[in-house]
Amino acid sequence: MIKMRHAALLVLALASAHARADDALYKQFGEKEGLTKIVDDMYDNVLSDPRTAPYFDNAPVRRIKQKLVEQLCVLLDGPCVYTGRDMKRTHAGQNIDRAAFNALVEDLQSAMDKNGVPFHAQNKLLAKLAPMYREVQDRE
Ligand code: HEM
């Protein structure tokens, strides 16, 4: 019985240490509030950037921002659920190429800089986003 209690405590201790470690990156982005600000600033950039703005004519920007906050939160191991659409279908037929993708990523980087996200934390997020190019592009 005592052994079982110890085992249970150990599991709890490990679980909370794990939760803290996982939370760290999300916290460096300022949690949900910070992410919302970053995505707002990112879209100010995206919509005034001639390389990306044309893609968003008639796009539901408010919705995209909400879904992107959820998605980034999940990527940063935050306590969120992504309720948006599948990336491949969402972006299909939009002629997104490498240049447009890189431009959008730069617009995100400026927003992260503006909001004081540490450089190594920025890189961790960018490393998670980079492989998503395969899902959003539909040109080589
Ligand atoms: C890793 C890169 C990207 C991520 C994580 C991402 C994420 C998202 C998300 C979460 C949505 C909303 C999905 C929904 O409505 O449920 C969305 C929509 C959209 N994205 Fe992206 N996106 C990326 C790259 C791009 C790029 C490079 C462009 C164009 C320059 C782009 C243009 C759009 C447009 C136009 C929509 C609206 C589509 C519609 O509702 O008809 N995205 N994206």
Side-chain angles (χ1 to χ4, degrees), residues 3-19:
K3 262 197 181 152
M4 283 267 291
R5 287 239 309 260
H6 276 142
L9 279 176
L10 184 65
V11 168
L12 273 178
L14 286 174
S16 73
H18 188 68

Side-chain angles (χ1 to χ4, degrees), residues 37-65:
K37 182 79 179 40
I38 290 165
V39 168
D40 275 342
D41 289 342
M42 172 189 173
Y43 267 85
D44 287 349
N45 298 337
V46 164
L47 297 177
S48 59
D49 182 340
R51 301 169 300 173
T52 47
Y55 288 90
F56 294 88
D57 286 348
N58 310 313
V61 172
R62 251 174 72 98
R63 176 196 161 93
I64 299 172
K65 290 200 288 190

